[in-house]
Amino acid sequence: MNGRLGMIIDGTGHNYQKIVKRKKELEEIGYDCYMVFVHTDLDIAQKRNMERPRKLNPEIVEQGWGEVQKNKIYFQGLFGNANFMMIDNSNTLSPKQATKKFNMLVKKGIGSFIKKPVKNYRGKKWVERQLILKGLK
């Protein structure tokens, strides 16, 4: 984080305030933030939970799923349309289909986001200082 390397933070999204806090911390040191919201239907989430070696109680899965669904609209507002992508992961895909979908998502959303110049004012200043320190500016 202090080296300003790109990061992927994986989480369930059930705790909205935790995401707000993490995003704010990252933006305060110069990061631009992007969210990929992975939606899954409740019945599919329950089915996949039961297929895992370490299962959660179905009531816990439903409660967490409900919290995430409530937060979805708030995440869209927090990140804005340009920095928010929602994908539906309810279908079970073959490895070939999953690879194709993943590559499309990277190209469409994440790839274009990481190729853009830094927008955050603090981030721009940090990049400028690093270029000066390295004698590139």
Side-chain angles (χ1 to χ4, degrees):
M1 194 164 109
N2 291 332
R4 307 310 194 271
L5 297 174
M7 294 186 292
I8 296 175
I9 300 170
D10 185 14
T12 63
H14 74 281
N15 185 333
Y16 177 75
Q17 289 306 319
K18 184 177 177 182
I19 303 292
V20 170
K21 181 181 177 203
R22 177 64 54 93
K23 182 177 183 285
K24 183 178 178 188
E25 290 170 348
L26 291 169
E27 288 174 340
E28 284 177 355
I29 63 170
Y31 276 94
D32 289 332
C33 297
Y34 188 93
M35 176 179 253
V36 177
F37 184 97
V38 181
H39 169 79
T40 304
D41 295 331
L42 178 58
D43 57 330
I44 298 297
Q46 292 286 15
K47 180 178 180 270
R48 290 177 181 164
N49 175 57
M50 297 313 289
E51 293 170 350
R52 288 190 194 106
R54 198 185 86 193
K55 297 165 184 50
L56 295 173
N57 182 310
E59 288 80 27
I60 293 173
V61 173
E62 185 170 353
Q63 179 184 355
W65 183 89
E67 291 167 354
V68 171
Q69 297 311 302
K70 283 192 304 188
N71 291 337
K72 184 176 10 180
I73 191 79
Y74 298 115
F75 289 138
Q76 287 177 301
L78 179 65
F79 286 86
N81 286 337
N83 290 355
F84 181 89
M85 177 179 17
M86 183 165 40
I87 61 169
D88 191 338
N89 191 30
S90 296
N91 296 329
T92 301
L93 303 175
S94 70
K96 184 177 180 179
Q97 291 170 317
T99 299
K100 184 177 178 181
K101 184 173 183 177
F102 176 79
N103 288 338
M104 181 274 301
L105 292 171
V106 168
K107 184 177 181 182
K108 177 183 169 192
I110 303 162
S112 64
F113 172 76
I114 62 176
K115 290 176 185 171
K116 290 179 186 174
V118 175
K119 291 182 181 179
N120 184 301
Y121 173 77
R122 291 178 186 100
K124 287 180 182 180
K125 290 293 181 189
W126 184 85
V127 168
E128 192 175 307
R129 279 193 308 273
Q130 293 303 307
L131 291 172
I132 291 168
L133 288 172
K134 292 180 181 183
L136 299 173
K137 191 168 183 181

